[in-house]
């Protein structure tokens, strides 16, 4: 056989060369797959590389769109229980207060287009080394704060952690001593100053705010490295009034401006926006706003046969895709989204943790009757447990752990 460039070769020699070439190609192909490049979209072998690939895959993924998957495998075990967390709140300790069905702990949030990184307590503490994380808001934000403290508590020796608070209890701080990291909660249910700012005595018929005054709250988080805000539930049930900022709440000469609560809420968000635009160190502080945590007060919304019921005795999530109930408020959601977008236009990078839709499925995850009751139950309540079920706050471990898992995923993303 004669080739154009003058080399003569037998057919047998040609077959041998082709066979050897094929073997070499297969060898290089297989060895390259043992160490795939990020462009190949494959998970690499080491744990660190696996985490990095997972974070890269979720960087542009909507972590808030997905479904709950029941997963009782060892990979999905809670990092703590309400019986062993040193800093558990009795309002959230459902197993301690008699809940027998514990399947609510085994539902895993699965985004549609990617995986949500598992919460790694030591990695979170390293991220917070020499830093302050502050949760600012109402009792739902406190629910999330307790979750975060319990998530990291499990990996810290007893001698290396502490808890302290201000004299009036408005600021509570967990300190991870080895990491010089603090995780605080500051009680500010309406964000701006209000007559509800006492964490122990805040049951008011009318809620009154000084709509432009936020400094007394801000002094507790102005130097923080990460701030997580929330505020919504105190705006939707009772009247909200505005008081002149120069007058004391208890003054007999006080006069009030009455407006629609949602308009006042939008004004409070504007006050927050103006403050962070002026005072926050944009190169240091990461800001988050947690969207509305839903309640499940009306069982007939997800079950036509449950008229008069609520979250009491519910043991599984709602399976109706994109279910919406009256336990959410679209107007509040719009106000928060508008405020967050407005801050971004001003150059303030506040991230919205949109936990509403994923939480609205979880009618099974509330504290219900399985908590400490701060008021003595009446005979009528004892005879009908659903009448005193808490369908607002959440059992721990539980849904707020996923909120913190989402926060963790955002904090681990490259800046």
């Amino acid at each position: 056989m004669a080739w154009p460039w003058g080399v003569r070769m037998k057919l047998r020699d040609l077959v041998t060369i082709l066979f050897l070439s094929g073997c070499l190609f297969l060898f290089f192909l297989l060895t390259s797959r043992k160490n795939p490049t990020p462009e190949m979209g494959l998970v690499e072998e080491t744990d660190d590389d696996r985490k990095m690939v997972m974070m890269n895959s979720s960087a542009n993924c909507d972590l808030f769109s997905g479904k709950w998957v029941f997963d009782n495998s060892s990979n999905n075990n809670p990092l703590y229980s309400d019986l062993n967390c040193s800093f558990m709140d009795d309002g959230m300790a459902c197993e301690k207060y008699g809940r027998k069905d514990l399947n609510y702990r085994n539902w895993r949030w699965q985004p549609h287009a990617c995986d949500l990184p598992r919460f790694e307590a030591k990695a979170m503490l390293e991220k917070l080394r020499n830093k302050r994380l502050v949760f600012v808001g109402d009792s739902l934000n406190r629910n999330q704060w307790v979750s975060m403290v319990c998530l990291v508590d499990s990996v810290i020796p007893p001698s290396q952690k502490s808890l302290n608070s201000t004299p009036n209890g408005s600021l509570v701080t967990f300190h991870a001593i080895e990491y010089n990291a603090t995780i605080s909660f500051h009680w500010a249910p309406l964000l701006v100053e209000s007559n509800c700012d006492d964490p122990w005595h805040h049951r008011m018929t009318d809620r009154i705010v000084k709509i432009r005054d936020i400094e007394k709250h801000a002094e507790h988080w102005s130097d923080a490295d990460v701030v997580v805000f929330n505020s919504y539930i105190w705006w939707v049930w009772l009247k909200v009034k505005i008081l002149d900022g120069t007058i004391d709440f208890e003054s007999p000469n006080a006069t009030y401006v009455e407006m629609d609560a949602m308009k006042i809420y939008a004004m409070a968000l504007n006050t927050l926006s103006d403050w962070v635009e002026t005072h926050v160190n944009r190169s240091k502080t990461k800001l988050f706003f947690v969207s509305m945590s839903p309640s499940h007060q009306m069982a007939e919304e997800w079950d036509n046969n449950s008229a008069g019921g609520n979250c009491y005795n519910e043991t599984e999530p709602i399976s109706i895709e994109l279910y919406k109930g009256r336990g959410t408020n679209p107007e509040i959601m719009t106000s928060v989204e508008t405020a967050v977008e407005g801050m971004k236009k001003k150059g303030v990078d506040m991230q919205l943790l949109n936990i509403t839709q994923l939480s609205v499925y979880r009618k099974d995850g509330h504290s219900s009757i399985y908590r400490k009751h701060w008021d003595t139950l009446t005979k009528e309540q004892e005879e009908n447990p659903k009448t005193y079920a808490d369908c607002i706050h959440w059992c721990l471990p539980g849904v707020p752990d996923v909120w913190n898992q989402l926060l963790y995923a955002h904090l681990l993303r490259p800046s």
Side-chain angles (χ1 to χ4, degrees):
M1 183 176 184
W3 292 90
W5 49 86
V7 179
R8 294 184 177 274
M9 184 178 295
K10 294 181 180 179
L11 181 59
R12 182 180 56 193
D13 297 327
L14 176 61
V15 171
T16 301
I17 291 173
L18 290 174
F19 174 77
L20 292 174
S21 298
C23 290
L24 285 172
F25 174 79
L26 183 60
F27 172 79
F28 285 118
L29 180 64
L30 291 175
T31 54
S32 66
R33 284 185 178 272
K34 290 182 181 178
N35 298 287
T37 62
E39 290 78 14
M40 295 175 66
L42 299 175
V43 179
E44 300 188 35
E45 296 296 320
T46 68
D47 288 341
D48 290 340
D49 288 339
R50 185 178 295 108
K51 291 176 187 176
M52 184 59 67
V53 171
M54 186 176 290
M55 288 308 303
N56 287 339
S57 69
S58 63
N60 297 313
C61 173
D62 183 1
L63 296 175
F64 312 114
S65 177
K67 62 181 179 180
W68 290 97
V69 177
F70 187 78
D71 182 358
N72 60 358
S73 68
S74 59
N75 290 332
N76 194 47
N77 284 341
L79 297 180
Y80 66 95
S81 80
D82 57 340
L83 303 178
N84 65 24
C85 175
S86 308
F87 307 101
M88 177 56 61
D89 185 291
D90 279 350
M92 309 162 193
C94 297
E95 183 181 10
K96 177 180 177 180
Y97 284 92
R99 183 162 181 172
K100 303 301 181 185
D101 166 56
L102 303 180
N103 284 344
Y104 64 90
R105 300 178 176 182
N106 297 119
W107 291 92
R108 172 173 54 81
W109 179 247
Q110 177 61 58
H112 287 313
C114 57
D115 289 325
L116 183 60
R118 177 174 167 81
F119 188 96
E120 301 277 357
K122 289 186 177 180
M124 185 66 180
L125 288 166
E126 283 294 348
K127 193 70 178 178
L128 294 178
R129 185 179 288 276
N130 300 319
K131 294 179 180 178
R132 289 188 69 213
L133 164 60
V134 183
F135 292 87
V136 177
D138 58 31
S139 57
L140 272 303
N141 219 12
R142 190 172 191 275
N143 214 164
Q144 186 173 356
W145 170 76
V146 174
S147 162
M148 179 63 81
V149 169
C150 288
L151 283 167
V152 300
D153 170 61
S154 60
V155 299
I156 304 175
S159 63
Q160 292 296 310
K161 55 194 173 188
S162 65
L163 192 73
N164 56 70
S165 68
T166 54
N168 69 350
S170 64
L171 181 73
V172 187
T173 299
F174 170 84
H175 186 199
I177 298 170
E178 177 185 350
Y179 296 87
N180 190 30
T182 59
I183 304 172
S184 301
F185 169 73
H186 174 59
W187 173 260
L190 296 160
L191 296 179
V192 294
E193 289 183 40
S194 76
N195 65 336
C196 305
D197 287 345
D198 187 315
W200 305 112
H201 305 287
H202 48 250
R203 295 184 180 181
M204 307 298 179
T205 303
D206 290 336
R207 288 160 186 181
I208 304 169
V209 299
K210 296 182 178 181
I211 200 62
R212 296 299 304 171
D213 293 350
I214 199 170
E215 287 78 11
K216 286 184 179 179
H217 290 313
E219 68 181 12
H220 294 294
W221 43 264
S222 59
D223 64 338
D225 300 275
V226 183
V227 187
V228 182
F229 297 98
N230 95 317
S231 180
Y232 75 89
I233 201 169
W234 286 65
W235 297 93
V236 297
W237 284 349
L238 300 176
K239 293 181 180 179
V240 181
K241 299 178 180 179
I242 298 176
L243 175 66
D244 186 326
T246 62
I247 301 175
D248 188 79
F249 287 109
E250 305 300 327
S251 172
N253 301 318
T255 58
Y256 310 102
V257 176
E258 293 194 44
M259 297 173 58
D260 177 76
M262 291 300 96
K263 290 182 179 179
I264 302 178
Y265 180 64
M267 294 167 68
L269 291 174
N270 284 335
T271 297
L272 174 64
S273 174
D274 291 343
W275 197 95
V276 298
E277 180 188 8
T278 305
H279 295 88
V280 164
N281 183 341
R282 303 180 193 187
S283 64
K284 169 189 174 182
T285 306
K286 295 183 182 295
L287 302 171
F288 298 88
F289 205 106
V290 180
S291 69
M292 186 174 190
S293 169
S295 61
H296 292 89
Q297 308 279 13
M298 310 290 290
E300 62 263 29
E301 291 183 6
W302 59 81
D303 183 356
N304 294 331
N305 299 317
S306 296
N310 53 28
C311 69
Y312 173 64
N313 267 349
E314 295 290 346
T315 59
E316 293 186 355
I318 295 169
S319 59
I320 305 168
E321 188 172 1
L322 297 180
Y323 164 83
K324 298 284 193 295
R326 279 174 280 177
T328 59
N329 188 309
E331 192 172 357
I332 278 185
M333 289 290 293
T334 299
S335 294
V336 172
E337 290 168 358
T338 300
V340 169
E341 287 303 313
M343 283 185 246
K344 288 183 177 180
K345 290 178 181 178
K346 296 176 182 178
V348 178
D349 187 21
M350 180 177 282
Q351 298 293 318
L352 179 64
L353 286 183
N354 192 351
I355 57 90
T356 304
Q357 185 60 60
L358 66 92
S359 304
V360 81
Y361 296 122
R362 293 302 307 276
K363 60 181 172 59
D364 61 310
H366 292 286
S367 302
S368 185
I369 66 170
Y370 305 106
R371 59 184 178 86
K372 181 175 181 178
H373 302 291
W374 312 108
D375 298 320
T376 302
L377 298 175
T378 66
K379 181 179 179 180
E380 291 76 13
Q381 286 177 318
E382 290 178 342
E383 292 175 349
N384 190 3
K386 69 182 178 184
T387 60
Y388 64 90
D390 181 350
C391 297
I392 297 172
H393 301 94
W394 304 89
C395 294
L396 292 179
V399 173
D401 298 333
V402 175
W403 304 350
N404 281 321
Q405 196 177 359
L406 292 162
L407 175 63
Y408 170 81
H410 276 76
L411 290 175
L412 261 63
R413 285 177 175 174
S415 301

